[in-house]
Amino acid sequence: MFTVMMPNNQSPLISAEEAAKKLNDQSTKFFDVRGRWGEDVQCSRQAFLSEHITGARFLDWTKTFVNTDLPIALAPVAEIEQAQADFAALGINQDDLVILYDDYFHMFAGRIWWAMRYWGFHNVRVLDGGLKRWKSLALPTSNNLNSARVGNYVVKKEQSWIALVDDVLNRSDNTVLLDARRSENFSTSGVSHIPGAINVPFPTLLDSDTGMFKAPEEIKQVIDVAINGQDIGHVISSCGSGYAGTILLIALQLIGINSVLYDGSYAEWKALQYPSN
């Protein structure tokens, strides 16, 4: 079983009801991080222009807090200069609360949440259930555009949020590597995951009707079944390219387990031609 570590910070999630109370708070910034793998981001931008949470600004997950010199599937988190520029351009200040949402399983909002945490910004939360949950409660939406002044947040790297390929290669016996991809992507033709990885498909962590994260006791049951009674002390979350793994990372935090994200995930592992199972 896992060694449970109580989180030393606030929940990674915020409910739609709680977020709605922040709509008129000048120090709360909402960002729309909608998208799909393989889809032109302009489709998401057009959807945003048609309707978004009142006061939200569009955040392009393919260009923000990510190295834009590489294909998105292989692109690691941005380096310090770009991260600093991105925070400034988004208008994020030191004392702000940032609320992120998407319409795709929290995958892209989760990635930005993780990147912000990696760059030392703590007061960031993901809207539980995303835009679907917000609209189901008939909470305010708009098609107005919102501008922002340059933000004053100063980045500082927190290495404890990331695992590199060497950390995966040299992981200890009591470190478990969890892979959040769908089961069909985890094991196709027998050669599609890192040796020793355990599959925890991200849809198993979410309520299929509401799109919200399952209750902590349900998440714990999913994880316990996956690890099959192993005595685990440390956790590395992974996936295909470092996106779905953030859903798992959030779910683990909800049950009191801190994990790190293998940013490169299986795409990097495969590109480096390490053995697969």
Side-chain angles (χ1 to χ4, degrees):
M1 297 181 66
F2 282 110
T3 299
V4 175
M5 300 171 287
M6 294 309 296
N8 55 9
N9 46 41
Q10 66 183 358
S11 171
L13 300 178
I14 187 169
S15 69
E17 295 89 340
E18 184 181 354
K21 298 176 183 178
K22 305 286 187 179
L23 283 176
N24 296 317
D25 184 352
Q26 295 300 309
S27 63
T28 298
K29 309 288 173 60
F30 286 79
F31 292 98
D32 186 306
V33 200
R34 275 180 276 183
R36 297 287 188 279
W37 277 105
E39 180 181 274
D40 191 322
V41 73
Q42 292 306 317
C43 295
S44 299
R45 191 183 296 274
Q46 287 301 316
F48 166 82
L49 292 173
S50 296
E51 183 183 34
H52 52 262
I53 290 176
T54 299
R57 295 176 61 213
F58 186 73
L59 191 156
D60 184 345
W61 62 273
T62 69
K63 295 181 179 178
T64 308
F65 301 126
V66 66
N67 186 328
T68 56
D69 294 331
L70 294 171
I72 190 64
L74 287 170
V77 66
E79 293 295 337
I80 187 168
E81 294 84 2
Q82 184 189 339
Q84 183 65 76
D86 287 341
F87 272 106
L90 292 171
I92 297 173
N93 297 316
Q94 197 79 29
D95 297 324
D96 283 343
L97 165 63
V98 170
I99 298 175
L100 307 165
Y101 71 91
D102 64 28
D103 61 348
Y104 195 60
F105 308 104
H106 313 90
M107 187 177 298
F108 302 115
R111 171 70 184 194
I112 298 299
W113 167 82
W114 169 80
M116 286 187 174
R117 294 306 311 265
Y118 173 70
W119 282 114
F121 188 81
H122 293 185
N123 202 18
V124 54
R125 302 172 78 179
V126 172
L127 180 65
D128 193 10
L131 186 60
K132 177 181 178 179
R133 174 64 175 170
W134 185 271
K135 292 176 68 173
S136 76
L137 297 175
L139 293 171
T141 60
S142 171
N143 59 7
N144 294 333
L145 298 182
N146 302 280
S147 59
R149 297 178 179 178
V150 174
N152 64 22
Y153 174 70
V154 178
V155 301
K156 49 187 180 296
K157 184 184 293 187
E158 295 190 357
Q159 198 68 29
S160 61
W161 282 86
I162 195 170
L164 304 177
V165 67
D166 285 347
D167 298 315
V168 176
L169 279 167
N170 301 313
R171 62 188 186 275
S172 62
D173 291 340
N174 72 337
T175 297
V176 65
L177 175 66
L178 301 181
D179 188 317
R181 288 176 293 166
R182 296 179 188 271
S183 56
E184 60 268 27
N185 296 327
F186 178 79
S187 185
T188 302
S189 301
V191 185
S192 58
H193 63 266
I194 298 169
I198 297 172
N199 192 205
V200 182
F202 70 82
T204 65
L205 304 168
L206 306 172
D207 183 281
S208 59
D209 293 327
T210 66
M212 299 170 67
F213 278 83
K214 290 181 176 178
E217 58 270 19
E218 295 178 274
I219 292 173
K220 187 176 187 303
Q221 183 177 20
V222 169
I223 300 298
D224 284 344
V225 169
I227 65 173
N228 194 27
Q230 293 186 54
D231 186 12
I232 303 301
H234 302 282
V235 186
I236 298 174
S237 297
S238 69
C239 53
S241 298
Y243 288 78
T246 65
I247 302 172
L248 176 57
L249 197 154
I250 289 171
L252 289 169
Q253 282 212 350
L254 294 176
I255 60 172
I257 296 169
N258 294 323
S259 69
V260 295
L261 179 71
Y262 174 27
D263 186 21
S265 285
Y266 186 67
E268 179 186 58
W269 185 272
K270 185 178 180 180
L272 293 174
Q273 299 183 355
Y274 287 121
S276 300
N277 286 139

